Structure formats: structure tokens, C-alpha cells
Amino acid sequence: MAIDASLDTTVRVNDFSVKLANVNGTGSASANSLLMQAIFRMGIPVSGKNLFPSNIQGLPTWYEIRVNASGYTARALDYDLMVAMNSQTYAEDIDDVRHGGYVLHDSSWPLDADLLREDVTFLGIPLARMCIENFQAPRERVLMKNIAYAGAVVALLGIDVDLVADLLAETFAKNQNLKASNQTALHLGYDYALENFDCPLPFRVAPMDATSESILIDGNTATALGCLYAGATVAAWYPITPATAVMDNFIRLCAQYRRVAVEGMEPGSPGSVKNNYLILQAEDEIAAIGMVLGASWSGARAFTSTSGPGISLMNELLGLAYYTEIPAVIIDVQRTGPSTGMPTRTQQADILMCAYASHGDTKHILLFPANPGECFEFAVQSFDIAERFQTPVFMLSDLDIGMNDWVVPQLKWDDTYVPDRGRVLDDQDLKGIAEFFRYADEDSDFVTPRTLPGSDSKGAYFIRGSGHDKFGQYTENPVQYQEVVDRLKAKHAAAAAHVPAPIVQRRAGAKVGVITLGSCDLAVREALDQLAAQGLNVDFMRVRGFPFVPEVREFVEEHEHCFVVEQNRDAQLRSLISIETGVAIEKMHALLAYGGFPLSARHVVDRITSQLEN
């Protein structure tokens, strides 16, 4: 392959981005994930972003792989290699390639001349023709074409082909026919690239040891694992993208770890093992949250997983839980809205809805994980906080975290962990009191004791969602009503000391600050490092929970300029900070990205520099 001498041929090791353009429904996801897994196993920091449509088949889908030895793995916007497998998007895909980059395409059919760029090298491989010659079934030819282009990418990037072959062998260990077909397809692409191009390209991988203490995991799997470790035994849900996999994984984990032997039964005999959990697929999200509240009121650790449309439907019962003080955990994997919106695109637009879910004066506790590792940790904390404060707790993940694979430190668990069940009175406690009132005897966090069904009759109480006083009795008396809701407000404020604390990073002499949350974390921190290299020091704060600690307001007020970076149109985090801390909203500049794709560092850098210049 002759390379244009005017193009950039600087060798870059472990620092490049690849974009793979396909048609949804053609089975490309497995091949694309295979490449990312192989790079991870070579010890190199890597990320994969699956940008797919909400239809079943036919629309464009992209997969982006970013390799960066320094660990900068937020979404990139300049691509060194484009694997163009979708003729419908050729023009835009080729346009996305950086100056001096490469395009790998199927040369079984010629590219239109108007698609060619002089500053890009085109690598044609007759993938379709090779698959027709080597495979018989039509569907097999389509699927193996994906593995063949993956093989070519392996050669072009210098990925360890034996490692990729081992990954394929692991995947199809139980199906020898598929195992053989995949190995054949892998080497079709790999051998063709070696024979026809200068491999590897100027940008390439080289083994590192940066991932030996890390794992590759998506947020929905990590969330389900956290719920299991937290002791959740009841879950109710209604399927919804992008949260369905939370419950799919929880079901799988419970089937493995929540089954117990029946005493007196012969091991292996019918009925010798029973499930120690209950998972219900409800008829809708309203029923799902109702089931969770019933189970939580009865003493189980219970949760539901959903997305924005589901939260909308749950609002009335969330108000019931807040007012009657029933613990519950709601996992919200956010997607774009409003209405159905774009179900397979990411956003952070449920913040205000979750903070104030339901009519009347309600205020909820929110946790904001930034990656799958925190999804695991925060899921456990959500149950502890929900029971300690006897109230719903929302964990707000998003599609980028939930459905993409992330490299995170190995999950750690403290075997001495004891669940915080909060103020629950047992029979012995009840014997020591003259009379039990559900909403009296508050502690320093304004939490009152509760009892569970089956306790001594002295612990019985009547629960109601209508006006009640601190003794649980019906009231429409203004003073008595206000006494209860004022305590609920104070209880919510007290939870600030128990939600995960903000992460703060400071740079000497910084007069500019940035506040962000959730999956914006990687892009923002990369952007601030780029700004520092340009001579602009910027302080960083990532909020991880609501209600806010005083440091949030202090951070805003101590900077001449404070940017709030979030992925929604209406600057919801900025509004929530202003409403809840009293800081003037004018003190904060909104830096927003809400098109549905994960945030990139370039967007942050460009917006901060342009706004400061003005």
C-alpha cells in the first residue's frame, strides 16, 4: 500500500480512535465488542460507545473505540480509522475521518468517486465476495463478514491475533461449527490485510499493564450486582430501554445466588431447592412501584428499574411513599425525552423530575454514579439510605453508563458489611415503650421509628396517604399537617451528610470552576487537563448526591466563573443547585450537551474558552 507522503505518518502508540459504521440488525455488535475486549486484555485503557437506533433492524448503527494510554477514554470526535460497512452513511462516515486518516471499506462494490478524499487513505477489502466464496448460508455470510472486517482491523492496528482467536474460542466453546466459522472469518480478514497493506498502520497498539487491576463491565450489570450484594430480595419492573438489562442481570444473579436448600429434602430431588427471592414483571410501571412499596413496607429490601417514562407513571405512588415514609429504591437509567423521545440515546434530563417527583411538596434523595464501579457501590448505599431515612431513593444512571462497557477498577466488597435497616422496632423494643406512634419520637436526623408486619400488636399502626398528624391519626388541622411535612423537609436535609460526598479537584490559582455529574465525568476531567496545558487552571467538582452539602454553594461562590456541565437542554442541575442552595443562578454558566450522544472533551473545552473570551 502506497501512503501519500504529505499525510501525517507519525507513529502513535496506544493513542487513536476507531469508528465502525454498520446497519442495525446485522450482528456487528459482537465483532465490534471483540475488538474492544482484545485491546483491554492487552492491558491498554480503552472505551467502547455503542450508538444504536431504537428500531430492530435497518437503521445506521455505530461503535466507537477510543484507545488512550493515559486513560482519557471519553468519546472522541476525530477518527483515525473508519470501518465503513453501511453504504447509506458512507458520506458522513468518510467526512468524520481526520486529515491523514484511513477508511476500511468493502471493495466488492466500488466506491463512488465523489466520496473519495485526497487526504484520506482508502483500504478496500472484498469482504462480501470472500464470505460468499467461503460460507454457504446467507445469514452466515452476513455474520462472518463482521468477523472478517474485525480480523482486518486486528492486523491494521497490531492487535494480538492469537488473543482474538482465544476470545472467539471462549465465546463459541459449546458450538464447534460456529467456532470453526468464526476462526475462518477472522483469518480471512487478517491475512488479506497483511498481504495487501503495510501493517500495522502508523497508529497502533502495544501491550501495556494498565488494566491488570481493572474489569470490563457495563453499568446495568454492575447495578444488578450491587442490588444483590445489598440484600435485595424483591424486585418489580416493567421492561423499558435502557433499563431492562438491570433486571435481566438481577434475575440471572438471583437464580445463582438466591436459592436455598430445603431442609429434610434429598439434594437434587424435585423441590429440594427453593427460591429465596421474588421478581415480578408487572403490567406497567405504576403496578411495579406499588409492589415495591408493599414489599418494602413489609420489611424486604425491594427495588424497581426503569427510565424516564416509567418515573412519570410512578409519580403518585412516589408521593405516597414519601408522605407515609416507606423506603424504596428506584434505579433510573436515563434516556432522551420528552415522551418516547429517543429510547437508545443518552441524556441526564430526569434530575428535576426525580428530585421533586409527585404533586405537592415532595423532595427525594438522589445518587449520581459516574461509571459502573459507582453503580455497584451506590446501589448498595441506596438501600441503606432508603431504610435509614424511610423514603424513596433514586439512583440516576444513564444509557451511556448502563449499556456500554467501561474499564473500571475491580469491584471490592467488605465482608463485614451489615445493612443499615434504620430505626426498626422489634418485639423487645416494643416491650420497653408505653405506646407506639409511627410518626413521633424523631431522632437527630428527624427519622421516626417503624415496625414491620408480624411484630407485637403494640407495634400496629394505620398507614394513610391523606393528612395525618405525628401520631398517625387523620387530620386537616393546618398546624398538625405542617408539623409532619416540616419534619419530612428537615429529614431530607439531614440526608446530605449520608449521600456520597462530592469529588473535588483543585488547581493552583484557579478562578474558574466546573461542576458536573454522572457520565460527564471523564470528558470534563480530560477537558480540564487540556485547558491546564493551555495555561488555564480550572477547579473541578462532581456532585454525587442530592441533597447538596454546603460545599456545593461554597464552590460556586468562590469562583469568578462557574460552569455547570450536564446533558440536558434546560440546565436542570444548575437550577437544582440554585433552588436548593440559594446561590444566584447568574453565578453559574450552563454548558449543555443534549443531542443524545456521550459527551466529548472537545465540546467542554470549546464552550469554556469561547465563553471566557466573550
Side-chain angles (χ1 to χ4, degrees):
M1 177 188 65
I3 298 177
D4 188 336
S6 67
L7 301 182
D8 180 11
T9 57
T10 303
V11 174
R12 286 182 288 121
V13 178
N14 297 335
D15 184 18
F16 58 86
S17 297
V18 178
K19 189 171 185 177
L20 303 106
N22 296 94
V23 176
N24 197 39
T26 57
S28 60
S30 297
N32 299 337
S33 179
L34 180 73
L35 294 169
M36 181 187 172
Q37 291 179 52
I39 296 169
F40 169 77
R41 290 203 183 185
M42 290 180 69
I44 307 165
V46 62
S47 66
K49 304 295 185 185
N50 190 14
L51 312 176
F52 61 103
S54 58
N55 79 325
I56 296 173
Q57 187 167 341
L59 289 180
T61 182
W62 295 272
Y63 192 81
E64 301 176 352
I65 297 174
R66 183 176 181 191
V67 176
N68 186 275
S70 300
Y72 295 124
T73 53
R75 184 178 180 231
L77 296 178
D78 292 316
Y79 305 100
D80 300 280
L81 172 64
M82 176 67 66
V83 181
M85 294 293 124
N86 185 357
S87 60
Q88 295 180 347
T89 61
Y90 273 167
E92 61 184 283
D93 293 335
I94 293 171
D95 190 54
D96 278 346
V97 181
R98 71 166 179 84
H99 174 80
Y102 294 76
V103 173
L104 170 63
H105 64 99
D106 188 346
S107 61
S108 302
W109 305 275
L111 281 178
D112 291 341
D114 58 356
L115 293 172
L116 301 179
R117 284 173 51 186
E118 293 183 357
D119 64 335
V120 167
T121 302
F122 287 82
L123 310 173
I125 301 179
L127 293 161
R129 180 167 57 78
M130 290 193 303
C131 288
I132 289 172
E133 293 171 353
N134 287 274
F135 304 104
Q136 298 301 314
R139 180 61 177 170
E140 184 182 32
R141 289 169 175 171
V142 172
L143 296 175
M144 292 307 112
K145 179 180 172 181
N146 298 323
I147 301 301
Y149 76 62
V153 173
V154 167
L156 293 169
L157 299 182
I159 299 172
D160 185 341
V161 68
D162 293 330
L163 190 157
V164 178
D166 289 344
L167 281 169
L168 281 172
E170 291 174 15
T171 303
F172 300 104
K174 296 181 179 180
N175 190 321
Q176 291 302 313
N177 290 333
L178 282 176
K179 182 178 179 180
S181 296
N182 277 272
Q183 296 291 346
T184 298
L186 173 69
H187 283 281
L188 281 175
Y190 182 79
D191 294 342
Y192 187 96
L194 285 182
E195 292 168 7
N196 292 275
F197 310 130
D198 293 334
C199 297
L201 297 174
F203 47 91
R204 61 192 65 168
V205 298
M208 294 177 62
D209 188 27
T211 64
S212 60
E213 300 298 320
S214 300
I215 60 171
L216 200 60
I217 191 171
D218 64 86
N220 286 344
T221 300
T223 297
L225 193 62
C227 293
L228 181 87
Y229 272 67
T233 56
V234 177
W237 66 304
Y238 186 78
I240 186 171
T241 301
T244 294
V246 173
M247 207 60 71
D248 287 343
N249 281 291
F250 188 67
I251 292 169
R252 175 180 58 82
L253 290 165
C254 285
Q256 186 172 359
Y257 298 107
R258 286 267 190 273
R259 306 193 75 201
V260 295
V262 177
E263 189 175 350
M265 296 288 291
E266 182 70 24
S269 63
S272 62
V273 178
K274 67 177 181 179
N275 293 337
N276 192 26
Y277 63 94
L278 177 64
I279 302 172
L280 298 162
Q281 181 175 325
E283 62 267 33
D284 54 34
E285 288 89 348
I286 302 172
I289 189 62
M291 294 171 181
V292 168
L293 297 183
S296 296
W297 176 77
S298 298
R301 286 200 149 181
F303 76 100
T304 188
S305 59
T306 189
S307 193
I311 302 292
S312 296
L313 289 171
M314 295 177 185
N315 264 243
E316 183 176 4
L317 284 173
L318 290 168
L320 172 71
Y322 173 79
Y323 192 34
T324 57
E325 301 182 67
I326 301 174
V329 171
I330 302 95
I331 307 297
D332 179 11
V333 188
Q334 298 171 93
R335 69 188 206 185
T336 63
S339 187
T340 308
M342 296 188 291
T344 58
R345 296 287 185 258
T346 196
Q347 213 169 67
Q348 298 169 322
D350 296 351
I351 299 170
L352 290 175
M353 177 173 66
C354 291
Y356 304 119
S358 197
H359 56 280
D361 291 322
T362 53
K363 197 175 289 190
H364 300 293
I365 298 170
L366 314 180
L367 274 62
F368 306 113
N371 54 61
E374 287 191 341
C375 284
F376 174 72
E377 298 170 13
F378 289 9
V380 178
Q381 292 182 49
S382 294
F383 286 96
D384 283 349
I385 295 170
E387 292 201 300
R388 182 185 183 96
F389 287 92
Q390 301 173 15
T391 195
V393 171
F394 294 79
M395 190 180 88
L396 274 65
S397 176
D398 61 41
L399 184 144
D400 182 22
I401 298 173
M403 296 191 71
N404 286 321
D405 287 328
W406 292 56
V407 177
V408 298
Q410 293 179 5
L411 305 182
K412 296 181 180 179
W413 183 251
D414 181 0
D415 285 332
T416 65
Y417 166 77
V418 177
D420 185 348
R421 303 307 305 269
R423 297 189 67 191
V424 179
L425 302 183
D426 59 20
D427 289 354
Q428 191 64 36
D429 297 322
L430 290 167
K431 286 181 181 178
I433 62 174
E435 193 171 3
F436 170 69
F437 296 108
R438 173 66 180 90
Y439 303 117
D441 187 27
E442 64 195 55
D443 64 12
S444 59
D445 286 330
F446 306 95
V447 179
T448 61
R450 65 180 178 128
T451 58
L452 302 179
S455 300
D456 185 277
S457 59
K458 189 188 290 184
Y461 64 96
F462 186 76
I463 191 167
R464 61 172 82 244
S466 53
H468 55 263
D469 62 17
K470 66 180 181 180
F471 303 111
Q473 298 174 344
Y474 180 80
T475 185
E476 294 184 16
N477 179 284
V479 174
Q480 294 173 347
Y481 166 79
Q482 288 177 203
E483 183 180 18
V484 172
V485 295
D486 286 349
R487 179 181 59 79
L488 294 179
K489 181 180 179 181
K491 182 178 72 168
H492 179 269
H498 299 269
V499 301
I503 299 294
V504 179
Q505 295 176 353
R506 297 188 181 275
R507 288 180 166 87
K511 297 180 180 179
V512 177
V514 166
I515 298 177
T516 192
L517 80 166
S519 59
C520 297
D521 177 62
L522 285 179
V524 172
R525 285 194 285 113
E526 179 182 355
L528 300 195
D529 286 350
Q530 292 179 11
L531 290 171
Q534 298 172 17
L536 177 62
N537 284 343
V538 180
D539 287 339
F540 169 85
M541 170 180 278
R542 174 164 64 87
V543 296
R544 301 196 298 167
F546 170 73
F548 301 124
V549 292
E551 286 81 356
V552 175
R553 177 183 177 124
E554 294 165 4
F555 186 90
V556 176
E557 292 182 333
E558 67 189 25
H559 292 95
E560 291 182 9
H561 299 279
C562 189
F563 293 85
V564 181
V565 182
E566 52 188 308
Q567 295 185 86
N568 57 70
R569 184 195 68 183
D570 295 337
Q572 294 187 24
L573 176 61
R574 183 182 71 152
S575 295
L576 189 63
I577 292 172
S578 181
I579 292 167
E580 294 294 330
T581 69
V583 68
I585 199 166
E586 294 78 16
K587 283 282 295 179
M588 297 174 283
H589 307 296
L591 201 165
L592 310 173
Y594 48 91
F597 286 160
L599 186 66
S600 70
R602 185 204 294 174
H603 184 87
V604 179
V605 170
D606 290 349
R607 288 291 304 277
I608 289 178
T609 53
S610 65
Q611 189 136 352
L612 291 177
E613 288 171 359
N614 293 330

